[in-house]
């Protein structure tokens, strides 16, 4: 059973607030974390991805995101507090929220990747009668948190960001949940949320100016002595 439910009816339909797009990844400017496009790890198990995080791996420099970081990133993007700090929580988003759709697009629409390979396009293009009002978009990925429920220590959590416009009653939501096996790929529409700390490297010219400044300071002190 999904835990806390929050409802937002005053969500701002605007561009993402605390997010910078870099093409293959985005940066949450509030946390200073980069988030890799989730489609880069599609159809790979938690263990498969974990084995590629070390030196020489295809995800070298990245690590698994925690549910709290996932909730924080969503809060930064939407400009509201989702309240998601662990697994088994969800946040209901107001319908027709353009920021939610933009976030899914930047993180990678994992459902579209799956439906494109299976149907040659979106599910709703293949079955328009099932989608009288719009389409379904979502980003679905694995997180580092273990499933906290008894007897599920071998399972880990997943995070879903969903924009479902197929029916008027459809919900747009952000969810963290458990029950994801760590030892096998759970589907072609599931990737992994991988993060790294943003590192700002000074430009060579800035380093040169800093060196000149320090030399000048040292010379001035020497003359004064």
């Amino acid at each position: 059973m999904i835990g806390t439910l929050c409802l937002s009816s005053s969500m701002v339909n605007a561009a993402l607030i605390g997010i910078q797009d870099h093409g293959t990844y985005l940066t949450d400017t509030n946390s200073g974390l980069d988030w890799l496009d989730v489609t880069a790890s599609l159809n790979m198990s938690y263990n498969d991805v974990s084995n590629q995080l070390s030196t020489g791996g295809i995800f070298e420099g990245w690590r698994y995101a925690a549910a709290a970081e996932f909730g924080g990133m969503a809060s930064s993007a939407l400009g509201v507090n989702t309240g998601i700090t662990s697994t088994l929580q969800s946040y209901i988003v107001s319908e027709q929220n353009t920021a939610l759709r933009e976030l899914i697009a930047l993180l990678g629409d994992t459902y579209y990747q799956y439906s494109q390979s299976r149907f040659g396009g979106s599910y709703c293009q293949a079955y328009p009668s099932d989608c009288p009002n719009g389409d379904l978009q979502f980003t679905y990925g694995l997180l580092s948190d273990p499933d906290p429920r008894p007897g599920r220590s071998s399972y880990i959590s997943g995070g879903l960001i969903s924009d479902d416009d197929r029916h008027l009653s459809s919900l747009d939501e952000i969810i963290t949940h458990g029950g994801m096996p760590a030892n096998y790929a759970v589907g072609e529409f599931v990737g992994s949320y991988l993060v790294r700390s943003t590192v700002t490297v000074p430009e060579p010219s800035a380093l040169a100016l800093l060196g000149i400044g320090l030399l000048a300071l040292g010379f001035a002190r020497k003359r004064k002595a």
Side-chain angles (χ1 to χ4, degrees):
M1 181 72 179
I2 298 294
T4 307
L5 291 177
C6 304
L7 178 63
S8 172
S9 59
S10 59
M11 189 73 68
V12 178
N13 292 333
L16 302 185
I17 299 171
I19 300 296
Q20 293 179 346
D21 177 29
H22 302 283
T24 58
Y25 69 94
L26 61 82
T27 300
D28 175 358
T29 58
N30 290 320
S31 68
L33 289 176
D34 294 334
W35 291 74
L36 185 64
D37 191 310
V38 180
T39 61
S41 52
L42 279 176
N43 205 28
M44 296 178 68
S45 72
Y46 179 89
N47 291 343
D48 289 339
V49 172
S50 296
N51 290 334
Q52 294 295 327
L53 298 177
S54 57
T55 302
I58 60 176
F59 302 121
E60 178 182 351
W62 299 87
R63 64 170 174 81
Y64 263 101
E69 293 170 325
F70 172 77
M73 177 270 294
S75 297
S76 295
L78 302 182
V80 296
N81 182 9
T82 63
I84 294 177
T85 59
S86 63
T87 192
L88 305 181
Q89 293 183 314
S90 72
Y91 181 82
I92 307 302
V93 184
S94 62
E95 282 289 345
Q96 300 181 0
N97 183 272
T98 57
L100 187 70
R101 291 185 216 119
E102 186 175 350
L103 180 59
I104 293 170
L106 294 185
L107 284 170
D109 186 343
T110 60
Y111 182 71
Y112 181 75
Q113 294 293 321
Y114 161 75
S115 62
Q116 186 178 46
S117 65
R118 184 168 181 179
F119 308 116
S122 72
Y123 174 83
C124 290
Q125 288 174 330
Y127 300 97
S129 61
D130 291 347
C131 313
N133 291 292
D135 214 329
L136 170 65
Q137 300 170 297
F138 66 66
T139 299
Y140 199 176
L142 304 177
L143 296 163
S144 64
D145 304 58
D147 190 324
R149 293 172 291 183
R152 292 177 177 250
S153 59
S154 62
Y155 292 84
I156 46 88
S157 298
L160 172 69
I161 302 174
S162 175
D163 178 26
D164 190 350
D165 297 327
R166 292 172 297 176
H167 304 278
L168 295 178
S169 59
S170 299
L171 293 177
D172 295 343
E173 53 193 345
I174 300 169
I175 301 173
T176 56
H177 60 85
M180 309 291 282
N183 60 350
Y184 68 89
V186 292
E188 295 178 351
F189 55 86
V190 182
S192 291
Y193 290 104
L194 301 179
V195 295
R196 68 183 178 190
S197 295
T198 299
V199 178
T200 303
V201 179
E203 295 291 334
S205 58
L207 289 173
L209 289 173
L210 177 60
I212 292 171
L214 290 174
L215 286 173
L217 179 61
F219 181 72
R221 287 180 175 177
K222 185 176 180 180
R223 289 192 60 186
K224 185 176 181 180

